[in-house]
PDB file of all heavy atoms in Angstrom:
ATOM      1  N   HIS A 409      10.669  -9.604 -25.271  1.00  0.00           N
ATOM      2  CA  HIS A 409       9.719 -10.178 -24.332  1.00  0.00           C
ATOM      3  C   HIS A 409       9.281 -11.587 -24.786  1.00  0.00           C
ATOM      4  O   HIS A 409       9.719 -12.074 -25.862  1.00  0.00           O
ATOM      5  CB  HIS A 409       8.505  -9.284 -24.201  1.00  0.00           C
ATOM      6  CG  HIS A 409       7.767  -9.034 -25.532  1.00  0.00           C
ATOM      7  ND1 HIS A 409       7.044 -10.004 -26.137  1.00  0.00           N
ATOM      8  CD2 HIS A 409       7.642  -7.946 -26.328  1.00  0.00           C
ATOM      9  CE1 HIS A 409       6.484  -9.540 -27.297  1.00  0.00           C
ATOM     10  NE2 HIS A 409       6.871  -8.309 -27.394  1.00  0.00           N
ATOM     11  N   GLY A 410       8.440 -12.252 -24.009  1.00  0.00           N
ATOM     12  CA  GLY A 410       7.922 -13.538 -24.297  1.00  0.00           C
ATOM     13  C   GLY A 410       6.639 -13.410 -25.240  1.00  0.00           C
ATOM     14  O   GLY A 410       6.053 -12.396 -25.433  1.00  0.00           O
ATOM     15  N   LEU A 411       6.228 -14.556 -25.763  1.00  0.00           N
ATOM     16  CA  LEU A 411       5.015 -14.602 -26.513  1.00  0.00           C
ATOM     17  C   LEU A 411       3.906 -14.176 -25.575  1.00  0.00           C
ATOM     18  O   LEU A 411       3.843 -14.720 -24.482  1.00  0.00           O
ATOM     19  CB  LEU A 411       4.826 -15.995 -27.150  1.00  0.00           C
ATOM     20  CG  LEU A 411       3.781 -16.166 -28.222  1.00  0.00           C
ATOM     21  CD1 LEU A 411       4.239 -15.436 -29.479  1.00  0.00           C
ATOM     22  CD2 LEU A 411       3.554 -17.670 -28.499  1.00  0.00           C
ATOM     23  N   HIS A 412       2.986 -13.267 -25.988  1.00  0.00           N
ATOM     24  CA  HIS A 412       2.008 -12.669 -25.132  1.00  0.00           C
ATOM     25  C   HIS A 412       2.556 -11.645 -24.184  1.00  0.00           C
ATOM     26  O   HIS A 412       1.828 -11.093 -23.433  1.00  0.00           O
ATOM     27  CB  HIS A 412       1.190 -13.697 -24.299  1.00  0.00           C
ATOM     28  CG  HIS A 412       0.759 -14.936 -25.009  1.00  0.00           C
ATOM     29  ND1 HIS A 412       0.802 -16.194 -24.441  1.00  0.00           N
ATOM     30  CD2 HIS A 412       0.207 -15.106 -26.244  1.00  0.00           C
ATOM     31  CE1 HIS A 412       0.283 -17.054 -25.273  1.00  0.00           C
ATOM     32  NE2 HIS A 412      -0.052 -16.487 -26.389  1.00  0.00           N
ATOM     33  N   GLY A 413       3.837 -11.359 -24.318  1.00  0.00           N
ATOM     34  CA  GLY A 413       4.470 -10.355 -23.428  1.00  0.00           C
ATOM     35  C   GLY A 413       4.427  -8.946 -23.981  1.00  0.00           C
ATOM     36  O   GLY A 413       3.644  -8.652 -24.960  1.00  0.00           O
ATOM     37  N   TYR A 414       5.198  -8.071 -23.450  1.00  0.00           N
ATOM     38  CA  TYR A 414       5.233  -6.640 -23.909  1.00  0.00           C
ATOM     39  C   TYR A 414       6.605  -6.076 -23.559  1.00  0.00           C
ATOM     40  O   TYR A 414       7.311  -6.578 -22.660  1.00  0.00           O
ATOM     41  CB  TYR A 414       4.043  -5.867 -23.273  1.00  0.00           C
ATOM     42  CG  TYR A 414       3.905  -5.986 -21.819  1.00  0.00           C
ATOM     43  CD1 TYR A 414       4.313  -5.022 -20.896  1.00  0.00           C
ATOM     44  CD2 TYR A 414       3.350  -7.217 -21.290  1.00  0.00           C
ATOM     45  CE1 TYR A 414       4.124  -5.174 -19.543  1.00  0.00           C
ATOM     46  CE2 TYR A 414       3.141  -7.330 -19.935  1.00  0.00           C
ATOM     47  CZ  TYR A 414       3.516  -6.338 -19.049  1.00  0.00           C
ATOM     48  OH  TYR A 414       3.411  -6.493 -17.698  1.00  0.00           O
ATOM     49  N   GLU A 415       6.931  -4.932 -24.099  1.00  0.00           N
ATOM     50  CA  GLU A 415       8.319  -4.423 -23.924  1.00  0.00           C
ATOM     51  C   GLU A 415       8.623  -4.007 -22.504  1.00  0.00           C
ATOM     52  O   GLU A 415       9.807  -3.959 -22.134  1.00  0.00           O
ATOM     53  CB  GLU A 415       8.538  -3.243 -24.905  1.00  0.00           C
ATOM     54  CG  GLU A 415       7.768  -1.923 -24.573  1.00  0.00           C
ATOM     55  CD  GLU A 415       6.442  -1.888 -25.232  1.00  0.00           C
ATOM     56  OE1 GLU A 415       5.771  -2.912 -25.369  1.00  0.00           O
ATOM     57  OE2 GLU A 415       5.998  -0.807 -25.558  1.00  0.00           O
ATOM     58  N   ASN A 416       7.597  -3.681 -21.715  1.00  0.00           N
ATOM     59  CA  ASN A 416       7.875  -3.321 -20.280  1.00  0.00           C
ATOM     60  C   ASN A 416       7.813  -4.410 -19.290  1.00  0.00           C
ATOM     61  O   ASN A 416       7.947  -4.195 -18.112  1.00  0.00           O
ATOM     62  CB  ASN A 416       6.845  -2.257 -19.902  1.00  0.00           C
ATOM     63  CG  ASN A 416       6.473  -1.228 -20.957  1.00  0.00           C
ATOM     64  OD1 ASN A 416       5.794  -1.588 -21.905  1.00  0.00           O
ATOM     65  ND2 ASN A 416       6.916  -0.028 -20.771  1.00  0.00           N
ATOM     66  N   GLN A 417       7.574  -5.629 -19.724  1.00  0.00           N
ATOM     67  CA  GLN A 417       7.264  -6.742 -18.852  1.00  0.00           C
ATOM     68  C   GLN A 417       8.379  -7.140 -17.877  1.00  0.00           C
ATOM     69  O   GLN A 417       8.106  -7.819 -16.881  1.00  0.00           O
ATOM     70  CB  GLN A 417       6.890  -7.965 -19.691  1.00  0.00           C
ATOM     71  CG  GLN A 417       8.063  -8.641 -20.375  1.00  0.00           C
ATOM     72  CD  GLN A 417       7.855 -10.087 -20.737  1.00  0.00           C
ATOM     73  OE1 GLN A 417       6.914 -10.490 -21.480  1.00  0.00           O
ATOM     74  NE2 GLN A 417       8.680 -10.947 -20.166  1.00  0.00           N
ATOM     75  N   ASN A 418       9.597  -6.649 -18.096  1.00  0.00           N
ATOM     76  CA  ASN A 418      10.721  -6.879 -17.196  1.00  0.00           C
ATOM     77  C   ASN A 418      11.304  -5.560 -16.669  1.00  0.00           C
ATOM     78  O   ASN A 418      12.508  -5.448 -16.602  1.00  0.00           O
ATOM     79  CB  ASN A 418      11.783  -7.704 -17.908  1.00  0.00           C
ATOM     80  CG  ASN A 418      11.495  -9.184 -17.955  1.00  0.00           C
ATOM     81  OD1 ASN A 418      10.452  -9.633 -18.412  1.00  0.00           O
ATOM     82  ND2 ASN A 418      12.391 -10.039 -17.434  1.00  0.00           N
ATOM     83  N   THR A 419      10.394  -4.701 -16.324  1.00  0.00           N
ATOM     84  CA  THR A 419      10.876  -3.421 -15.789  1.00  0.00           C
ATOM     85  C   THR A 419      11.688  -3.660 -14.496  1.00  0.00           C
ATOM     86  O   THR A 419      12.619  -2.885 -14.247  1.00  0.00           O
ATOM     87  CB  THR A 419       9.581  -2.494 -15.441  1.00  0.00           C
ATOM     88  OG1 THR A 419       9.006  -2.169 -16.682  1.00  0.00           O
ATOM     89  CG2 THR A 419      10.046  -1.259 -14.788  1.00  0.00           C
TER      90      THR A 419
END
Side-chain angles (χ1 to χ4, degrees):
H409 59 72
L411 198 64
H412 313 139
Y414 48 104
E415 70 271 34
N416 319 73
Q417 69 158 64
N418 279 54
T419 295

